C-alpha cells in the first residue's frame, strides 16, 4: 500500500514543476506557533494547492496526514501555516509536507518536501522571543545592570528568528532567480 502510494507520488511529482524549498533537510520546523513553507513553481503549475503534513512513523504522527492549509496560491511562493487544532505532532524526524491538488484529492501530490525534523521550541514562555527580537527590550525591574544587552548569538534566539529570516531569504532567492 505504501509503496503503491510512493510510486503514485513519484509519477505525479515528475508531472509538476513545483518544488518545495523549505522545510526539508536542515530547514526544519519547531513545535511552537506558525511555521513557514517556501516553494518554486512555473506558470503551467496549478493555480492553488493544499498543504499536508505527513509522517510514515505512526509513533510520531498517529494520523496519516494533517491538512494544514487549503487553496494556497501557487504564485505566492511561500506562506505560513498555523499549528493544527491539536497542536504540532510529536517532536522527531521523517516529517514531510506534501503539496496536494486539493483537500478532496490528497493522493494527487504536486510536490513533496525533503524529510525534516520538528524540534521542540527552545522557549515555551508567554514572552515570545520572536517578539522580543523585533521590539526594543522593555525595561525590567530586576536588579541586573541595564547595559547588559541580551547576547544576540544565543542559540535559542538564533533558532527562534531563524524561521522568518529563512522565509525572507527564500523570497530573496526566489526573486533573484526570477529576475
Ligand atoms: C533530525 O533529528 C535526528 C535525531 O532525531 C538527528 O539525528 C538528525 O541529525 C536531525 N536532522 C537534522 C537535519 O537536523
Ligand atoms: C484551484 O485550482 C484548481 C485547479 O487545480 C482550479 O480548478 C480552481 O478554480 C482553483 N480555485 C481557486 C479558488 O483558485
Amino acid at each position: 500500500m505504501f509503496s503503491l502510494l510512493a510510486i503514485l507520488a513519484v509519477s505525479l511529482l515528475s508531472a509538476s514543476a513545483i518544488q518545495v524549498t523549505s522545510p526539508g533537510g536542515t530547514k526544519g520546523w519547531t513545535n511552537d506557533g506558525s511555521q513557514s513553507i517556501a516553494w518554486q513553481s512555473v506558470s503551467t503549475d496549478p493555480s492553488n494547492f493544499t498543504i499536508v503534513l505527513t509522517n510514515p512513523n505512526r509513533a510520531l504522527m498517529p494520523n496519516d496526514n494533517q491538512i494544514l492549509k487549503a487553496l494556497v496560491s501557487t504564485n505566492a511562493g511561500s506562506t505560513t501555516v498555523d499549528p493544527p487544532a491539536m497542536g504540532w505532532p510529536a517532536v522527531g524526524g521523517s516529517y514531510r509536507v506534501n503539496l496536494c491538488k486539493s483537500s478532496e484529492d490528497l493522493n494527487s501530490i504536486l510536490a513533496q518536501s525533503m524529510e525534516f525534523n520538528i524540534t521542540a521550541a527552545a522557549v515555551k514562555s508567554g514572552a515570545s522571543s520572536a517578539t522580543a527580537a523585533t521590539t526594543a527590550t522593555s525595561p525590567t525591574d530586576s536588579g541586573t545592570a541595564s547595559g547588559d544587552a541580551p547576547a544576540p548569538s544565543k542559540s535559542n534566539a538564533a533558532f527562534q528568528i531563524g524561521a522568518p529570516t529563512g522565509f525572507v531569504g527564500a523570497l530573496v532567492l526566489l526573486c533573484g532567480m526570477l529576475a
Side-chain angles (χ1 to χ4, degrees):
M1 178 63 175
F2 180 74
S3 58
L4 184 69
L5 286 177
I7 290 165
L8 184 68
V10 168
S11 62
L12 285 165
L13 279 175
S14 60
S16 170
I18 299 181
Q19 284 190 315
V20 181
T21 54
S22 179
T26 55
K27 291 175 281 189
W29 281 357
T30 73
N31 64 356
D32 182 30
S34 298
Q35 304 298 320
S36 58
I37 303 179
W39 61 89
Q40 296 173 349
S41 65
V42 297
S43 59
T44 49
D45 287 320
S47 63
N48 63 76
F49 54 79
T50 293
I51 299 171
V52 177
L53 180 65
T54 71
N55 195 328
N57 184 345
R58 290 285 157 270
L60 293 178
M61 200 176 172
N63 305 319
D64 279 20
N65 45 46
Q66 171 76 54
I67 295 176
L68 297 177
K69 204 172 198 177
L71 289 172
V72 177
S73 172
T74 305
N75 284 340
S78 65
T79 190
T80 56
V81 288
D82 292 328
M86 305 289 283
W88 293 112
V91 163
S94 69
Y95 283 97
R96 290 181 192 266
V97 285
N98 290 342
L99 308 189
C100 301
K101 190 178 172 201
S102 76
S103 49
E104 287 80 39
D105 191 1
L106 297 185
N107 288 332
S108 295
I109 299 171
L110 304 173
Q112 187 172 53
S113 76
M114 305 286 281
E115 288 190 351
F116 63 93
N117 288 359
I118 292 181
T119 54
V123 181
K124 282 292 264 182
S125 75
S128 159
S129 62
T131 306
T134 51
T135 58
T137 49
S138 54
T140 61
D141 43 6
S142 72
T144 53
S146 56
D148 219 9
S153 60
K154 260 175 80 176
S155 61
N156 290 358
F159 196 77
Q160 286 292 317
I161 62 169
T165 305
F167 177 79
V168 171
L171 278 180
V172 168
L173 182 67
L174 190 59
C175 291
M177 295 180 78
L178 291 174

